[in-house]
Every structure is written in structure tokens, then in C-alpha cells.
Amino acid sequence: MSKDHEQATGAAQAPSEIDFFRAKSQSLMRQAAAYASYLSEDMLAGYDEADLQSRMKYVETLNADFNAAQTSLEKLDLNDKTASRNGCSSQEFQQYNEFDSSGT
């Protein structure tokens, strides 16, 4: 659906899961970059062990969230590519995989 058509009809397509995880990954990368530029060597030298552990935990959380979003994005991208090779939509392919893996 073109943007002109969306504007003319007022019908906007909902973002896909791929769009969501791509935006989430980009957001997490921006957060990590901002945090890295905020922390300087002088600033870190002034922190005690508890402060450093707290900041490390935050970085580890950002890393875990980024890895989860990237994994989901890669999985969805693979499903999308496989589905298009099989001549069906990625949503149909995902539903088939869920049905097939349930054993019913």
C-alpha cells in the first residue's frame, strides 16, 4: 500500500513485527551509545564499587534486550524469506510452523 493511498483512504497499515524489532534494536543501540558517551574515564574513577556494579547491570540489561530483539528479528526475517520461497505469506508460514511443531 503506497503512502498516497494510505493518506487518501486514511488506512495506515500496522507496523509488522519485523518493523517493531528493527526499531527496538535501533533504540537500544542509541541508548547504549548515549550511555557510553555519558560515562567518561574520570567519571568512572569517581564511582565506588556499588555504583560501578549498578551501571554494569544496566549495560548487561541493554545487551540482553538487544540480543533478544536481534534474535527475534533474525528469526522473523528467516521466516519471511522461507515463506516467500514457498509462495505464502510470512504469517501463514509462521502459523504452519506453530501447527507443525505442536504435533497436532
Side-chain angles (χ1 to χ4, degrees):
M1 188 179 302
S2 72
K3 286 193 180 243
D4 294 335
H5 179 73
E6 286 176 8
Q7 289 174 347
T9 62
Q13 189 175 7
S16 70
E17 284 185 281
I18 290 174
D19 293 334
F20 169 77
F21 285 114
R22 183 176 294 131
K24 181 152 183 89
S25 295
Q26 291 170 347
S27 172
L28 289 165
M29 287 186 337
R30 284 191 302 271
Q31 288 177 51
Y35 199 61
S37 67
Y38 166 75
L39 295 175
S40 67
E41 190 174 328
D42 292 336
M43 184 180 286
L44 290 173
Y47 290 148
D48 65 13
E49 186 176 343
D51 288 330
L52 291 173
Q53 286 178 347
S54 172
R55 280 153 180 79
M56 261 319 275
K57 186 159 182 69
Y58 176 72
V59 170
E60 289 168 356
T61 300
L62 277 178
N63 186 46
D65 290 349
F66 179 80
N67 286 339
Q70 279 297 105
T71 299
S72 295
L73 184 57
E74 290 167 358
K75 197 178 295 186
L76 288 167
D77 189 44
L78 179 62
N79 283 347
D80 193 41
K81 288 178 182 175
T82 304
S84 61
R85 279 197 306 267
N86 292 332
C88 61
S89 73
S90 59
Q91 187 174 20
E92 291 169 330
F93 182 76
Q94 187 173 6
Q95 288 171 344
Y96 170 77
N97 276 348
E98 289 169 1
F99 174 77
D100 191 43
S101 65
S102 69
T104 55

